[in-house]
Amino acid sequence: MQAVLSNPRLLLPMLRGSALPGAILLLVLLMVVPIPAFMLDIFFVMNIMISIAVLMVALNAQKPLDFSAFPTVLLFATLFRLGLNVASTRVVLVHGHEGEAAAGHVIEAFGSFLIGGDYVVGLFVFSILIIINMIVVTKGAGRVSEVSARFTLDALPGKQMAIDADLNAGLITPDEARAKRIETGAEADFYGAMDGSSKFVKGDAVAGLLILAINIVGGLILGVVSHQMAVGQAAQTYVLLAIGDALVAQVPSLLLSIAAAAIVTRVASTSDQDLAGQIATQFASHRTWAPVAGILGLLAMLPGMPFLVLAPAAGIAGYGSWRLSRAKAAPPPPPPVPEAVDLSRIGWDEVADTCNIMLDVGYGLVPLVDERKGAPLMGRITGVRRQLSKDLGFVVPQVRVRDDINLAPYTYRIIIGGVVVGEDVASATEMLALDTGQAVGMLDGKLAKDPTFGLDAVWIQPGDADAATGAGYLVVDPSTVIATHLNHILTTNAADLLGPDEAQSLLDGLKERAASLVAAICPQPLTLTTLTQVLRALLAENIPLKEFRRIASAIAVVAQRTQDADEIVELIRPQLGALIIQKLCSVREPLRVMTLDGHLEALLGQAMRADPSRRHAIEPDLGRRIVDALTHAAQPLMAEAKPFALVVQPSIRLAIRKLVKTCLPDTPVMSFFEVPEDKAVEVVAVIGAPEALAA
């Protein structure tokens, strides 16, 4: 305790934490314990001060969630006012016979000054305030709260899906998506709470009316029976005090009702303005005030109208319209003079580029990315990233599109990590007609090759597209050609798209569902760098990371034995065999496989044991013959678009994969252990023994 008292920094949080419980205890004491009149004055002034402060916060909020504590504040403010009503009723009924100042100077001021000491006038004034509060402000705010709560809750699933879509598309980071989800949930909770809080405001107005009636009836009875006052004198004294008490409570109640209505009717501004700023911006038009000035001027000229009132108002509106029109017609301020550039200074932004994927286009293809012309290519690129992110299991980085004057006019270039991985030519004003093998006849146009599939194609005019389609050609626009090529390049080089940041994002996403599994992998026994190498090796062999939990489970088991990335990949592949096979055939369809002759596998296995480093395991001439035999055997299957796998012994799988990667990059090379025991297998070719290869 002495340490707390000696350190004010420790005392302040304790006082702040005990403020709300102390206020609730004070509220209970107001309802139970009699208080003197001067304390009642202090609490009435405090009530008015709190109501004005709440109204100011509501008006200055840029969006409703900026005052998210409003429903709770409204509850406690209402209870505080009702507690004051109980305390003031006790004082009025007990000491009212002593005079108008018996219940405090605040009630006396409201009863004498505001309504002139006439309780009949006070009744009418109070009735009008009750009508305004209950029927106009409170009822309207309650209806808006109800509708807003319903529509906010109905729109909640759609907002969550939109956040997930933006996250998958890479438009927002995981932290931003988490913040948006929290904000969306808080918005739904806020409007739901406001729907219930509006009932407090309405109940408060009804309670004020009932308390006034009780004070009047009770005061008349006490004045006549207990204090032997005349009926007129009792009415003048007690009714005036009751009305003053009611007005003291009703004015803060009206302020809170206005604050509640301002909050629930507020529309969030895209320019981060408060309510006053929104109103000023939307009324700042000369077209608004010019008709106002004209109508007021016309009314001022009519006989019997107050000319001295209407004419100045018309002049003020006309002057405001003239000033607004002048402000709109005024030329914009000159741009600031840029500071002199030091040509001898070189910045990091001139030599560094943070974007991993870039698409450079020649000036002839700029119309495809020009926003004034719809930028069709940009929409295609976004679609490619969204679909590829779903297929690969992680968010594909953004693609930066640049115009490069060093390129030929209609050339585009795809760059990943600073390396050019794709380049071709397209036409911004023509269509590409692809010969898929069913085309009949020749088309007039520039002969070309499809950059993705290598099909024969022709660039034709858009007007010839219908004729080309009728002749059996597949006609696509240039944006689709470039986007399809980009999709193929990104899929082929998926391993280069994954870095430590993406791997950490995968771990963070899995941690929300399986925290213990993530703890068993990283940072011990595997570092983030090693885990990234393992995941990139899987992507290099066309194994997506969609089922990351299954992949992580396999890694967690194997990581207890080794921390070498290549060994981890080879050891977990048998548990991922089903993920590889499902891309090659359906559940009931047999898996088409090619195998190596037993003698050839034995020879390759011996070579692997002779070269532990596995860098030069296969003799070049033998490797060339194996590749030729595989290519020859695969041609019929590729012509019929039948996927297949090459299945070999585990010890030589990695070496064979490196060997056939150049000729059959899309063909998975699997070991016998990766094929499930219950999967039917159809052997379509056997690559022969060394003697047969030599022949």
Side-chain angles (χ1 to χ4, degrees):
M1 187 64 182
Q2 293 179 354
V4 173
L5 294 177
S6 61
N7 191 349
R9 294 183 179 180
L10 298 178
L11 183 60
L12 185 60
M14 295 180 59
L15 294 177
R16 187 184 297 114
S18 61
L20 186 57
I24 296 176
L25 180 60
L26 178 62
L27 177 62
V28 176
L29 292 177
L30 283 177
M31 296 182 179
V32 177
V33 178
I35 60 175
F38 78 92
M39 290 294 298
L40 200 60
D41 288 342
I42 295 175
F43 287 134
F44 274 132
V45 173
M46 186 183 300
N47 184 27
I48 296 174
M49 179 181 65
I50 292 174
S51 301
I52 296 175
V54 170
L55 178 61
M56 292 301 102
V57 174
L59 294 180
N60 292 323
Q62 295 180 358
K63 55 181 181 295
L65 280 184
D66 288 346
F67 198 5
S68 58
F70 182 73
T72 306
V73 172
L74 185 62
L75 168 63
F76 287 118
T78 303
L79 294 178
F80 179 51
R81 190 168 53 258
L82 292 176
L84 284 178
N85 282 333
V86 174
S88 62
T89 298
R90 183 186 300 111
V91 174
V92 168
L93 295 180
V94 173
H95 302 285
H97 64 282
E98 299 176 3
E100 296 179 0
H105 295 291
V106 175
I107 293 180
E108 180 186 9
F110 272 80
S112 301
F113 177 73
L114 294 183
I115 60 177
D118 190 342
Y119 63 86
V120 177
V121 176
L123 286 175
F124 284 109
V125 172
F126 180 77
S127 300
I128 293 174
L129 287 178
I130 283 289
I131 291 173
I132 293 173
N133 194 5
M134 288 186 58
I135 299 180
V136 180
V137 181
T138 303
K139 186 175 181 180
R143 179 58 178 166
V144 173
S145 298
E146 180 183 353
V147 174
S148 299
R150 186 175 73 232
F151 278 96
T152 302
L153 293 175
D154 290 343
L156 185 60
K159 291 182 179 180
Q160 296 284 4
M161 294 176 63
I163 294 172
D164 294 339
D166 291 343
L167 177 61
N168 294 333
L171 302 179
I172 56 177
T173 62
D175 293 338
E176 293 174 341
R178 191 176 299 108
K180 285 181 176 292
R181 292 192 188 99
I182 294 175
E183 182 179 359
T184 301
E187 183 180 6
D189 295 340
F190 173 78
Y191 282 107
M194 283 301 303
D195 185 24
S197 299
S198 62
K199 306 301 186 296
F200 293 125
V201 180
K202 182 177 180 181
D204 180 32
V206 175
L209 186 62
L210 295 177
I211 291 173
L212 174 64
I214 292 172
N215 285 340
I216 292 176
V217 175
L220 290 176
I221 294 175
L222 287 173
V224 174
V225 176
S226 299
H227 303 292
Q228 289 77 38
M229 300 173 64
V231 176
Q233 183 183 2
Q236 179 67 25
T237 301
Y238 283 98
V239 175
L240 194 62
L241 289 175
I243 293 175
D245 179 27
L247 288 176
V248 171
Q250 195 60 35
V251 170
S253 175
L254 181 60
L255 293 177
L256 287 181
S257 299
I258 296 173
I263 282 289
V264 298
T265 57
R266 181 74 195 274
V267 178
S269 173
T270 57
S271 57
D272 293 336
Q273 293 178 331
D274 56 9
L275 185 58
Q278 282 189 13
I279 295 176
T281 301
Q282 295 168 10
F283 274 82
S285 173
H286 69 281
R287 296 182 179 179
T288 300
W289 296 106
V292 173
I295 294 174
L296 290 178
L298 181 62
L299 290 176
M301 302 302 295
L302 295 178
M305 288 292 180
F307 178 81
L308 295 179
V309 177
L310 291 173
I316 294 174
Y319 177 74
S321 175
W322 175 74
R323 289 297 302 268
L324 291 173
S325 63
R326 288 287 302 272
K328 184 177 181 180
V337 179
E339 298 180 358
V341 179
D342 186 3
L343 299 179
S344 63
R345 182 178 180 181
I346 302 176
W348 281 104
D349 54 346
E350 299 182 41
V351 297
D353 199 324
T354 58
C355 193
N356 190 31
I357 309 173
M358 289 183 287
L359 176 63
D360 293 347
V361 297
Y363 68 84
L365 299 179
V366 169
L368 297 179
V369 296
D370 191 352
E371 294 184 357
R372 295 172 297 181
K373 298 183 180 181
L377 181 57
M378 303 306 295
R380 298 284 187 181
I381 291 176
T382 302
V384 166
R385 289 184 58 239
R386 178 178 291 110
Q387 185 60 43
L388 199 58
S389 298
K390 295 179 181 179
D391 294 340
L392 295 180
F394 65 93
V395 178
V396 174
Q398 291 186 350
V399 180
R400 179 179 177 183
V401 182
R402 308 179 302 184
D403 57 324
D404 190 349
I405 60 175
N406 296 321
L407 289 177
Y410 298 101
T411 301
Y412 64 90
R413 180 179 294 163
I414 303 172
I415 303 173
I416 298 179
V419 179
V420 178
V421 292
E423 183 175 341
D424 214 287
V425 177
S427 175
T429 59
E430 296 178 320
M431 309 285 283
L432 186 64
L434 303 175
D435 183 3
T436 59
Q438 302 176 353
V440 178
M442 298 294 294
L443 298 177
D444 294 333
K446 294 177 292 185
L447 298 179
K449 285 284 187 180
D450 172 54
T452 304
F453 306 104
L455 301 176
D456 293 331
V458 182
W459 286 104
I460 62 175
Q461 296 297 323
D464 299 334
D466 293 339
T469 303
Y473 287 87
L474 176 63
V475 181
V476 293
D477 60 90
S479 299
T480 303
V481 174
I482 299 176
T484 304
H485 190 197
L486 176 66
N487 179 73
H488 178 71
I489 292 295
L490 295 181
T491 303
T492 305
N493 298 272
D496 297 330
L497 307 180
L498 184 81
D501 293 334
E502 287 76 15
Q504 185 62 53
S505 298
L506 287 171
L507 291 174
D508 294 340
L510 181 61
K511 191 175 183 179
E512 298 179 359
R513 308 185 305 272
S516 300
L517 178 57
V518 174
I521 300 176
C522 188
Q524 292 293 335
L526 296 183
T527 63
L528 183 61
T529 303
T530 304
L531 178 63
T532 304
Q533 293 177 347
V534 173
L535 299 180
R536 293 185 64 176
L538 295 176
L539 290 172
E541 299 205 33
N542 298 326
I543 301 177
L545 307 180
K546 291 190 297 183
E547 300 297 331
F548 184 65
R549 181 167 186 168
R550 180 171 183 172
I551 296 174
S553 299
I555 294 176
V557 176
V558 174
Q560 305 300 324
R561 299 166 51 186
T562 179
Q563 282 77 49
D564 182 75
D566 292 336
E567 292 184 11
I568 291 176
V569 172
E570 295 303 311
L571 292 174
I572 67 173
R573 283 184 61 91
Q575 302 183 46
L576 307 179
L579 297 178
I580 305 173
I581 292 175
Q582 69 179 1
K583 299 175 61 177
L584 304 175
C585 60
S586 61
V587 177
R588 299 181 179 180
E589 184 182 5
L591 173 65
R592 289 176 288 272
V593 302
M594 291 185 183
T595 61
L596 301 181
D597 182 80
H599 296 288
L600 178 58
E601 285 193 336
L603 178 62
L604 295 177
Q606 182 179 359
M608 294 295 298
R609 290 188 294 272
D611 184 13
S613 65
R614 301 182 181 181
R615 293 183 179 180
H616 308 286
I618 302 178
E619 192 271 329
D621 186 61
L622 177 60
R624 179 185 57 80
R625 296 180 184 181
I626 294 175
V627 168
D628 292 340
L630 285 172
T631 305
H632 179 73
Q635 286 179 351
L637 295 174
M638 297 175 63
E640 299 179 7
K642 293 182 178 180
F644 62 93
L646 177 61
V647 180
V648 298
Q649 290 183 2
S651 59
I652 64 173
R653 193 206 70 83
L654 188 58
I656 295 296
R657 170 59 185 168
K658 294 179 180 179
L659 180 65
V660 304
K661 184 178 181 179
T662 55
C663 63
L664 299 173
D666 297 330
T667 300
V669 180
M670 307 174 61
S671 70
F672 293 115
F673 296 146
E674 298 171 24
V675 180
E677 296 180 356
D678 57 347
K679 184 64 180 177
V681 175
E682 177 185 353
V683 179
V684 295
V686 177
I687 307 303
E691 296 80 5
L693 290 176

